[in-house]
Structures are given as structure tokens and as C-alpha cells.
Amino acid sequence: MRPDGNQIILLASLLLAGLYAPRLEAATNTITTLVEDAVVNGNCTLREALLASIQGAAVDQCAGDSGPDTIVLAAVGTYELDDGDLPPLSGGALEVLGAPAQPRSAYLVDLGDQQRFLHARSGATLRLENLELTRGSGASMPGGLGGGALLVDDAALTMENVRISASHSSQGAGVDFVSGWNLDLLNVEFAGNFTAGGGSSTVGQGGGLRAIEFSDRLIRLRDVRFVGNRLADPEPAATGFGGGLYLLTSVGSTVELRKLRFQNNFIETLGGASSAGMYGIIGSSGSHFEFSDGEFRGNRADPSVATVSRGSAFSIEFSNLDQASLRRLLVIDNGGTSAAPQAALYARFPTAVVASDLLIAGHAGGGLFLGTSSGSCSILAGNLTVAGHPESGVVLDQGSGSIRLENSIVFGNGTVNGSDVESSTGTPDVAVENLIGIDPLFVNSGSGDYELQALSPAIDAGDATFASVGRWDLAHAPRVVGSDLDLGALERGGIFGDGFETGDFSSWGVAGPGSFRSKIV
């Protein structure tokens, strides 16, 4: 039945008022072949399904329309996708899913060192789940964009149970996310990705992932691993930042990092290098930053000529944040060819940073650098264990801001200025409860066990009322076991007891008492 004139007028009114919209059909394509083609031959390949989503129209036997699309990888094996870059996905929503009953390695998309998987842009929403992208190659784009396997430009990206491996580009060798939209990663691994520079002034950023957020959106990384990624450039003035992760945020961004692992990432540049694990510039007004349960091991920032600046494992600079906290970070055996510290935190402009329950040990250079600039900046550091650095332990550069160190152990480090804790500028507040330059009687620091022996002078020597004290120690045991808090990152006699922090099992690899502690001692 055709609508009468009154019905047409009513429909037009609803459209103008935004109360009615035509229904957008969703297309689902199930891929049952591993081969690649884009010719009309009665099948639906992965390339054809991606083209159908990009074009909003059917391709061969793959359905396509203007609504949100789903691609289901049903064939187990290696999907070939190496016939050249696809057009960008502009707007719209697309999800590509492997069956959750299979491991992600069962759905391996091999890009053949010939192309990206996708370039999502202009408000597109892309979700990948339970698959692996390997051997991606992303040519440099206007504006310095890269992305070996994925380039997400002004679009949203969600990945769960995904591995990005052996991909390369000029920036963001695995994934380059440069956006004003959300980035949400859960159980994702970046492994063996690498940048390849190409100019005398090249700045390499993000051997695994480069994430740049320009607006008040969310960057959330949970259970994400960066393993064996590499920034390299043979040009004389080339510099590298963030061998695993490069992170830059702007106004109002919320950054949540939980259970991140950085292992054996590497920077090799002639002009300078910083932070083979993670490099971050976080700001500005209205922003929020939280980093908990991180691990840095074996990351190396080794330029052949220039010295390593800032932290060899990680360096984070904060500006104009409402709140910034780092809790429970393990930083062991990261280094380079110079005496740079393993970790560095900077507070610039109005920002209050809290860092607690950090264990930083076992590096040929220095341990930890804390620096502030203006008088409205502060860093509060507590329950640190910093040990085994021949150059320096903790360096405090207060400037005109404020730095306070409390409930910490700093021992067995170089004492160039006569102490394991050095003040380069200003007069930081170093609480009397700290154990500095006194043997805390670790169980076996030579083998990486920084637990406290039964007769340690650090036991019950802290003050549980100090502002930096959190609920759990580095290993998620109760922060106070006994009459008072123990100094350092690990509470003696504690066992895993936080109930997985309100049931968020996704942030943990193994359940059970003591399981997390067993990974760090």
C-alpha cells in the first residue's frame, strides 16, 4: 500500500526531527577459502569481503551494503592477502572475527610484505578479534602516517586476542593509530615489528604501536605485550622513541594501561634514542592517566654513536593532567650503551604524579630519574626498590616543583654524589623512613629475588599513613603484613590476595595465591 499525502508529510517531519531513520542492513560474510582473488568466480574471499565492506556493495559472492558489516574467518589456516593495498575504509563499521574456540594463530592473515591489512579513516569503527596479522608493509602516507599492518586515521579501533607480527613501516611499525577516536586493546601482542627509516632527519616512533590521541577520548590497553620490536635507522641524524610503544595524548584524554609487558624491544639509531620499551607524552588539561601492573625486561636503546637520553626502559612526561598514577611496575635489566637511567618521569606544568610499588634493578647505567619543572608540579614516590645500578640509584631534579620520596629502599647503586639518592636541583623531601645506602638483606638480588629476608631492617619500618601507600604491593599481596608497612616494593610474608581486583580476570594470566608473585621473583 502506498502512503497517502499525510503519511508522507509525517515521515518527512520525523526525518527532519531525527526521530526516524531508514534501517541500515548489516552484511555478514563467512570466509571458507584461504586463497586470494578479486574476480567474479562464484566465491567470497577475504579480499572480496573487505572490498564489499569498503564499497558498501556486493563483490562476487560477498554481500555488501551501507550498514555495519561482519567478516567471519571460518577456514583454519593462512589467509593470503598480498595483492596490494585496499582502498581506505571511510566511515561505517566493520568487524573481522576468528572463531573464539580456536587459538588466534589458527587465523593467520599473511600480508606478504606487500600491503597493510586496512587503512581505517574518517570516523570508521574497526574491530578485530581472535586472529593474527603478519608481514604487513605500510608505505609512508601524507602527514607522516605509517602503520605496517594497520593504519587508523581519525577512526576507532578495538582489538581482542590479536597478534600483530613481523610488519614494518616508517612509524607505528605494527599499528599506527593517529586519531580523535577510541583505542581499546585487550590481550594483544606486538611481536617482531620494525621501522625502517629513510632520511637524515628521520624520527622513528613506535616499533610496535604508535598511539596519538588528539581529543577527549579513551586509550585503554589491557594485557598487551610488546616483544622483540625494533626501531632502526642508519641515517646520521635519525632518532628513535618508543621501541615497543610510542604514546602521545592531548586535551581531555583518558589513558588506562594495565598489565603491559615490554620484553627485548630495541632501538638502534645514530642521532639518539629514548625508551626502548615505552615513550609517552601525556597531556593536557582534563586528562587522566593510570598505569598499573607493568613489566619491562631486556629492552635496549643502543644508538651506535649518540648517548641514550631519558629512560632506557621507559620515559613519560606529564603536562596539565588532572591525575596521573603509576603503580606496581617491574623494571629489570633494561639498558643501552650509555649511563641513562632505566626509567624517567617528568612533571611539567600543573600536574601531580603518584608512583608507588616500583622495583627497578639490574642495569649497567642508572635506576630512576624524577623531575619537575614549575612550582605547580609534584611527584610523590613511595615503596620503591631501586638497586644494583653502578651509575646512580635515584636522581631527583626538583626544579621549582616538589618531589617527595617515602617508604623506599635504595641500595647498591653508584654514589657519585655520595648517596644512592642524588638531588640535582632543589631540596626534595626525602622522608626519614626510607632505607638509603643500608643493606636491606634481599633474599638473593644476584638472581633477581628482591624479597626481604626475615631479619631485614626494612620490615615494618615504613609508615602506612603516607599518601603514596596503595592497597597492594608489587605482587598484589596486602600492602601491610605485620605491625606496619615494609619498605620497598614487596611486602614480606604476603600472598596474592586482592580477589583479582573486582573480578577483572582479563588482566591476569594465572589465577591462584602467589601466582603473580612467582613471576617477578
Side-chain angles (χ1 to χ4, degrees):
M1 180 178 68
R2 297 179 61 185
D4 60 26
N6 290 332
Q7 289 172 321
I8 292 173
I9 292 172
L10 175 60
L11 177 58
S13 299
L14 290 172
L15 286 168
L16 289 172
L19 300 177
Y20 173 85
R23 181 171 179 268
L24 297 178
E25 296 295 331
T28 298
N29 288 304
T30 300
I31 313 303
T32 59
T33 176
L34 299 174
V35 300
E36 176 176 23
D37 69 58
V39 297
V40 179
N41 57 2
N43 66 358
C44 180
T45 66
L46 176 57
R47 176 173 288 272
E48 290 170 334
L50 291 169
L51 284 169
S53 296
I54 291 166
Q55 298 170 4
V59 175
D60 201 356
Q61 292 301 304
C62 296
D65 52 48
S66 58
D69 296 326
T70 299
I71 298 174
V72 178
L73 305 180
V76 171
T78 300
Y79 290 79
E80 298 178 6
L81 191 69
D82 57 8
D83 281 351
D85 278 321
L86 294 156
L89 175 69
S90 297
L94 170 64
E95 56 182 8
V96 183
L97 312 174
Q102 296 284 347
R104 63 190 177 200
S105 59
Y107 306 101
L108 177 66
V109 180
D110 188 348
L111 303 166
D113 290 324
Q114 299 298 315
Q115 67 171 83
R116 296 182 180 91
F117 180 72
L118 269 180
H119 174 191
R121 69 179 188 184
S122 303
T125 300
L126 176 63
R127 177 181 179 85
L128 304 181
E129 185 173 334
N130 205 48
L131 54 90
E132 178 174 355
L133 306 179
T134 192
R135 298 206 301 156
S137 176
S140 296
M141 302 283 285
L145 301 178
L150 287 172
L151 171 57
V152 181
D153 172 20
D154 193 29
L157 175 63
T158 299
M159 295 197 294
E160 181 173 351
N161 194 28
V162 171
R163 189 171 190 259
I164 307 292
S165 66
S167 296
H168 63 92
S169 185
S170 58
Q171 309 285 350
V175 173
D176 197 10
F177 178 89
V178 182
S179 189
W181 297 75
N182 293 341
L183 173 65
D184 195 353
L185 308 184
L186 174 62
N187 188 20
V188 172
E189 181 170 276
F190 295 87
N193 304 289
F194 61 97
T195 67
S200 60
S201 60
T202 299
V203 177
Q205 300 171 341
L209 166 66
R210 181 172 73 162
I212 299 177
E213 179 58 82
F214 291 122
S215 62
D216 56 347
R217 299 286 183 150
L218 171 69
I219 289 182
R220 180 168 60 183
L221 278 58
R222 294 170 293 162
D223 199 1
V224 179
R225 295 167 298 285
F226 298 85
V227 181
N229 301 289
R230 183 169 175 261
L231 281 174
D233 194 321
E235 298 295 337
T239 55
F241 298 87
L245 169 64
Y246 178 92
L247 178 60
L248 170 66
T249 69
S250 187
V251 178
S253 301
T254 295
V255 180
E256 178 187 335
L257 310 177
R258 188 162 178 207
K259 200 188 176 190
L260 270 57
R261 301 288 182 262
F262 298 85
Q263 184 172 1
N264 297 334
N265 300 289
F266 186 68
I267 300 178
E268 185 179 16
T269 50
L270 298 180
S274 182
S275 310
M278 169 186 171
Y279 182 88
I281 302 176
I282 312 299
S284 53
S285 178
S287 297
H288 171 87
F289 178 90
E290 178 184 351
F291 185 6
S292 59
D293 302 307
E295 180 178 330
F296 297 81
R297 289 183 186 267
N299 302 287
R300 294 284 182 269
D302 292 347
S304 300
V305 177
T307 59
V308 179
S309 61
R310 303 196 176 187
S312 59
F314 73 86
S315 173
I316 307 176
E317 179 178 319
F318 302 97
S319 298
N320 290 318
L321 267 69
D322 288 351
Q323 180 182 355
S325 67
L326 302 95
R327 297 187 182 274
R328 301 183 300 275
L329 305 184
L330 177 69
V331 185
I332 289 184
D333 190 29
N334 305 276
T337 57
S338 77
Q342 290 200 77
L345 299 176
Y346 300 81
R348 305 194 186 281
F349 310 108
T351 299
V353 179
V354 177
S356 67
D357 302 291
L358 278 57
L359 195 165
I360 303 173
H363 164 43
L368 173 66
F369 175 92
L370 302 177
T372 62
S373 59
S374 69
S376 55
C377 297
S378 66
I379 296 180
L380 174 61
N383 282 108
L384 310 181
T385 297
V386 182
H389 303 94
E391 294 293 333
S392 61
V394 176
V395 176
L396 307 177
D397 183 6
Q398 182 168 273
S400 58
S402 67
I403 299 177
R404 176 173 167 82
L405 179 66
E406 57 190 32
N407 288 334
S408 295
I409 297 171
V410 189
F411 173 74
N413 306 284
T415 55
V416 176
N417 294 333
S419 174
D420 284 74
V421 176
E422 305 171 19
S423 297
S424 59
T425 64
T427 308
D429 182 4
V430 180
V432 297
E433 287 81 3
N434 294 294
L435 195 65
I436 299 172
I438 298 173
D439 191 348
L441 300 180
F442 294 127
V443 170
N444 189 345
S445 60
S447 64
D449 188 344
Y450 292 90
E451 294 266 26
L452 301 174
Q453 297 182 32
L455 298 178
S456 169
I459 294 174
D460 298 335
D463 189 331
T465 68
F466 284 168
S468 66
V469 176
R471 188 176 178 186
W472 315 107
D473 76 352
L474 175 63
H476 280 258
R479 185 61 266 190
V480 178
V481 176
S483 62
D484 211 329
L485 169 143
D486 294 350
L487 303 178
L490 293 166
E491 189 81 8
R492 178 174 169 79
I495 62 171
F496 185 97
D498 73 351
F500 290 98
E501 291 196 338
T502 67
D504 184 6
F505 289 91
S506 66
S507 289
W508 302 99
V510 183
S515 59
F516 186 73
R517 179 174 295 270
S518 69
K519 296 180 182 180
I520 66 173
V521 297

